[in-house]
Amino acid sequence: MSQYMSKRRLGRTAVAAVAVVAAVTAPTIAHAAPAGQATAATLHDDLNGDGYSDLVVAAPSATVGGKKGAGYVAVVYGSANGLDVTTRQVVSQSTAGVPGSPETADAFGSALTTADLDRDGYADLVVGVGGEDTADGGAESGLVEVLWGGPKGLTGAAALATGKAYDGLGAQGRLAVGDVNGDGAGDLVTVENQFNLRVLNGPFSRDGSTAHGGQLVTDEFDSRVLDLATGDINGDGVGDVAATENDGDEYDARRIVYWLGGEQGLAPYTTVQGADGHRLQGGENLDLGDVDRDGFDDIVVGRAVDGYDSDLDTPAAKGGRVTFIPGGADGADGTRAVHLNQDSPGVPGAAEKGDGFGTDVRVADVTGDGHPDVVTGLPGEDLGTVSGAGAVVVLRGGAGGLTGTGAQVVTQNTADVPGAGETGDAFGKAVHLADANRDGLADLSAGAPGENGNAGFVWSFTSAPTTVVSPNGTTAFGNTLLGTTATEARLGTGFAY
């Protein structure tokens, strides 16, 4: 029996159908020595160093080895023609070389991120196993491990960190990598006790260890970190960390905080204040990127929940919203925040309770105009009389920040998108942006974990300057292609960033 075990179960949702193609078996992750003179990788998500971004998608509630909720992760590699489904890997704790073994509700893949942790020129995949029990930490302490990148893709793995009892280290939203001390190496940021940041300073050795120490950043309040992201908010060239949090048991009491990086690591957190002098109402997830191209990364927050008391004091709360907060030399400026929902000018559709606008947000340049755009999911969106089919909206970035003007919507009923929107598909539950074919345009991927009766499904679209979905530019796959168990797998629950 493995030293890593778990008994926690994940939630489930509902139904739908679309066809898929041919099955393969999962490869072994071999233990490999560091590549001495690897091809230099310039992309944080290029796992095989060929110059193309790769797509990593999770199914943390999937059955592996007969264990429900053990979870797996699938990688589809990029190429000059976009994602190549013939070049793929499926990895779980049943894969040779990966620490641990599949146990019920381990949730392998509960959080994912990519970065070159060992500085060998290849991006590596960092995987959270948020439901893991460990010998050192105890019940549901959680585990974070790395799958090393190399010229043949993922080749080798190591454990990086475990938590304490019920920490859920590596749980959804609580995993990021950024250079927070400015030494040129990626630092791993996780969450202890749901609200303290635990930083492990890189670079890392191939056994998962680091000789460079770390930092524990404590929070005196009973907060709960919901999501983490890294970037450079104040433009000083050192990585910063931003988070969305809620206050203890107050489900809809959201706030946005950030920690500026520096030579000594992360400084104490700052809470983003709004124009009224009070803290700005936050959300459940966020991403960072320089949307207005002024040299400072901006914070983009998705707030999908609505129908609570806090809606009364929250602009554009109906149906969910996306908030743009400009960065600057003094940090994030919440007094200039812009809030968008489906009732905002130019945004397709209409704001309705339960749409889930803002369920996931990602920042990258979809149109190639030099300004990053923002994509967000609406997994609760109805398509006509079809409930919860889901949608994705792309919001345009520009010199003035984020706008609804020129926004585009993608659903399973959009031309050139395989399948059809059905009840409970939850298309857009997770979204992703990356340039898989290196044409300068970020390509959109979307997960629908409710597809095919909760088996889940993934779509990736090749962007063009005027459209998100190009004819003959769609890649779509599910459990049949991956050769994995479909029952309640909910493939497309999350992507690596």
Side-chain angles (χ1 to χ4, degrees), residues 177-324:
V177 174
D179 180 10
V180 301
N181 59 6
D183 66 354
D187 307 310
L188 176 66
V189 185
T190 60
V191 179
E192 286 188 356
N193 294 328
Q194 302 185 61
F195 55 85
N196 293 329
L197 295 193
R198 179 181 174 187
V199 181
L200 297 178
N201 296 129
F204 292 81
S205 300
R206 295 288 283 201
D207 63 0
S209 64
T210 176
H212 300 274
Q215 181 183 14
L216 183 64
V217 186
T218 59
D219 186 338
E220 70 271 31
F221 297 106
D222 186 24
S223 304
R224 299 290 183 269
V225 172
L226 303 176
D227 198 15
L228 291 175
T230 58
D232 188 2
I233 297 170
N234 63 351
D236 65 354
V238 181
D240 309 312
V241 179
T244 54
E245 299 182 338
N246 76 311
D247 289 343
D249 296 329
E250 297 182 56
Y251 178 74
D252 65 328
R254 305 289 196 243
R255 65 175 182 165
I256 306 157
V257 300
Y258 62 91
W259 299 260
L260 296 177
E263 185 176 345
Q264 303 303 315
L266 296 178
Y269 73 85
T270 299
T271 303
V272 177
Q273 304 293 315
D276 60 0
H278 298 287
R279 72 185 187 191
L280 196 66
Q281 177 72 213
E284 299 77 56
N285 65 93
L286 82 168
D287 198 12
L288 272 64
D290 190 2
V291 174
D292 53 11
R293 291 297 302 275
D294 64 354
F296 306 98
D297 278 348
D298 312 306
I299 302 176
V300 179
V301 178
R303 181 188 190 270
V305 301
D306 65 339
Y308 292 86
D309 291 343
S310 62
D311 288 2
L312 299 176
D313 301 317
T314 303
K318 186 177 182 181
R321 77 174 187 190
V322 171
T323 298
F324 164 80

Side-chain angles (χ1 to χ4, degrees), residues 465-485:
T466 59
T467 183
V468 181
V469 181
S470 302
N472 304 314
T474 299
T475 300
F477 61 92
N479 290 277
T480 301
L481 177 74
L482 300 175
T484 52
T485 301

Side-chain angles (χ1 to χ4, degrees), residues 37-414:
Q37 299 295 324
T39 302
T42 57
L43 300 171
H44 73 89
D45 52 1
D46 180 11
L47 300 171
N48 60 358
D50 64 357
Y52 298 97
S53 293
D54 306 314
L55 182 70
V56 185
V57 59
S61 63
T63 297
V64 176
K67 305 296 184 180
K68 294 181 179 180
Y72 72 82
V73 170
V75 182
V76 179
Y77 289 90
S79 73
N81 296 315
L83 293 179
D84 180 3
V85 296
T86 68
T87 309
R88 61 190 185 271
Q89 290 179 282
V90 177
V91 184
S92 70
Q93 288 185 297
S94 68
T95 304
V98 175
S101 60
E103 300 286 348
T104 300
D106 275 351
F108 182 87
S110 53
L112 300 168
T113 192
T114 53
D116 185 3
L117 293 188
D118 58 353
R119 295 199 293 188
D120 67 348
Y122 297 95
D124 308 306
L125 174 61
V126 184
V127 181
V129 195
E132 191 85 58
D133 289 0
T134 67
D136 294 334
E140 299 182 24
S141 54
L143 169 70
V144 177
E145 49 193 39
V146 59
L147 310 178
W148 300 111
K152 295 183 180 180
L154 299 177
T155 53
L160 297 176
T162 60
K164 300 176 182 177
Y166 304 104
D167 268 358
L169 199 76
Q172 181 179 5
R174 298 173 184 166
L175 184 64
V177 174
D179 180 10
V180 301
N181 59 6
D183 66 354
D187 307 310
L188 176 66
V189 185
T190 60
V191 179
E192 286 188 356
N193 294 328
Q194 302 185 61
F195 55 85
N196 293 329
L197 295 193
R198 179 181 174 187
V199 181
L200 297 178
N201 296 129
F204 292 81
S205 300
R206 295 288 283 201
D207 63 0
S209 64
T210 176
H212 300 274
Q215 181 183 14
L216 183 64
V217 186
T218 59
D219 186 338
E220 70 271 31
F221 297 106
D222 186 24
S223 304
R224 299 290 183 269
V225 172
L226 303 176
D227 198 15
L228 291 175
T230 58
D232 188 2
I233 297 170
N234 63 351
D236 65 354
V238 181
D240 309 312
V241 179
T244 54
E245 299 182 338
N246 76 311
D247 289 343
D249 296 329
E250 297 182 56
Y251 178 74
D252 65 328
R254 305 289 196 243
R255 65 175 182 165
I256 306 157
V257 300
Y258 62 91
W259 299 260
L260 296 177
E263 185 176 345
Q264 303 303 315
L266 296 178
Y269 73 85
T270 299
T271 303
V272 177
Q273 304 293 315
D276 60 0
H278 298 287
R279 72 185 187 191
L280 196 66
Q281 177 72 213
E284 299 77 56
N285 65 93
L286 82 168
D287 198 12
L288 272 64
D290 190 2
V291 174
D292 53 11
R293 291 297 302 275
D294 64 354
F296 306 98
D297 278 348
D298 312 306
I299 302 176
V300 179
V301 178
R303 181 188 190 270
V305 301
D306 65 339
Y308 292 86
D309 291 343
S310 62
D311 288 2
L312 299 176
D313 301 317
T314 303
K318 186 177 182 181
R321 77 174 187 190
V322 171
T323 298
F324 164 80
I325 306 165
D330 296 323
D333 186 359
T335 67
R336 296 193 291 133
V338 175
H339 309 288
L340 299 173
N341 72 354
Q342 283 188 288
D343 285 342
S344 301
V347 180
E352 298 171 312
K353 183 178 178 180
D355 281 349
F357 188 86
T359 290
D360 195 7
V361 291
R362 295 298 156 193
V363 181
D365 185 4
V366 176
T367 61
D369 65 356
H371 287 277
D373 307 299
V374 174
V375 59
T376 186
L378 299 82
E381 180 84 347
D382 298 339
L383 300 182
T385 60
V386 180
S387 174
V392 173
V393 168
V394 180
L395 304 168
R396 295 292 300 274
L402 194 63
T403 177
T405 302
Q408 298 183 52
V409 64
V410 179
T411 75
Q412 285 193 71
N413 294 348
T414 300

